[in-house]
Amino acid sequence: MIKIVPYRKGYGVVVSEVYHLAVHAIDEAHYSGAQKRAWSRAPRSGYHWHKRLTRSQAWLAVDTARLVGEQPCCVGFINVETHYASRGYIDSLYVHPDYQGQGIARQLLQQLASWAVSQGMLELSVDASSLSRPLFMAEGFRPRHKRYQEKAGQIFMAYYLVKPLI
């Protein structure tokens, strides 16, 4: 059973693995091998992800039927910036390849949006990949413009999308 819970200490390493595996599972019709390696050469440290997720508001999708030690297995995550200048910007949304296509990304996004409304946020924004764009559009996000980003010499096109919350 999948449950959405707030991010908690001890999941940094697993989040890093989910991110890396999700990136490298993307079909090469969307992103080339070189682009995927530029996006994530190897899992980053648990410390990196712990710091990144505790500086924002984050949630995990955990499979309560699978335990890793004594903790439910993390199968996805999402986070949103809470600082004034980037308040409401969705920084990350990734789901483990074995759990994709089950509506987990949508559950995470809906949890985030519900929380954002309760916090009085006026809108959410995201730089969506070509792969995640349809999900965000189905959840009420609308395009503002395209953006190009460079990572390790590879160019990525993203879609800057915005969803009003009021």
Side-chain angles (χ1 to χ4, degrees):
M1 178 176 164
I2 303 300
K3 186 175 178 184
I4 308 301
V5 299
Y7 172 77
R8 48 189 168 209
K9 188 176 182 176
Y11 277 99
V13 170
V14 178
V15 163
S16 181
E17 291 169 4
V18 168
Y19 171 83
H20 183 72
L21 290 170
V23 167
H24 285 275
I26 297 171
D27 189 295
E28 293 208 7
H30 293 282
Y31 295 101
S32 70
Q35 286 177 308
K36 293 187 290 186
R37 284 186 299 279
W39 195 337
S40 180
R41 286 196 193 287
R44 300 213 44 192
S45 72
Y47 177 81
H48 164 84
W49 279 101
H50 177 69
K51 288 296 180 192
R52 185 170 172 173
L53 296 179
T54 55
R55 290 183 179 147
S56 61
Q57 182 66 41
W59 293 268
L60 306 171
V62 296
D63 183 344
T64 59
R66 281 185 56 206
L67 297 180
V68 177
E70 296 182 18
Q71 298 185 99
C73 179
C74 175
V75 299
F77 67 98
I78 192 169
N79 73 308
V80 63
E81 298 297 329
T82 56
H83 302 296
Y84 180 75
S86 55
R87 184 173 158 90
Y89 179 80
I90 299 170
D91 178 51
S92 301
L93 173 56
Y94 292 91
V95 174
H96 190 286
D98 293 346
Y99 288 82
Q100 291 177 3
Q102 298 178 29
I104 294 170
R106 178 169 275 113
Q107 289 176 28
L108 286 162
L109 186 54
Q110 289 171 349
Q111 171 66 41
L112 183 150
S114 175
W115 177 86
V117 167
S118 77
Q119 298 300 303
M121 290 186 179
L122 302 178
E123 69 179 17
L124 295 173
S125 61
V126 65
D127 280 305
S129 68
S130 61
L131 199 58
S132 66
R133 182 177 176 234
L135 167 68
F136 287 105
M137 298 286 287
E139 289 297 314
F141 285 75
R142 296 295 167 243
R144 285 274 174 91
H145 52 80
K146 294 179 185 175
R147 293 189 197 207
Y148 294 90
Q149 302 170 341
E150 185 272 332
K151 295 178 187 183
Q154 296 292 312
I155 304 297
F156 295 83
M157 184 174 65
Y159 301 89
Y160 185 70
L161 309 174
V162 175
K163 178 181 180 173
L165 296 175
I166 57 168

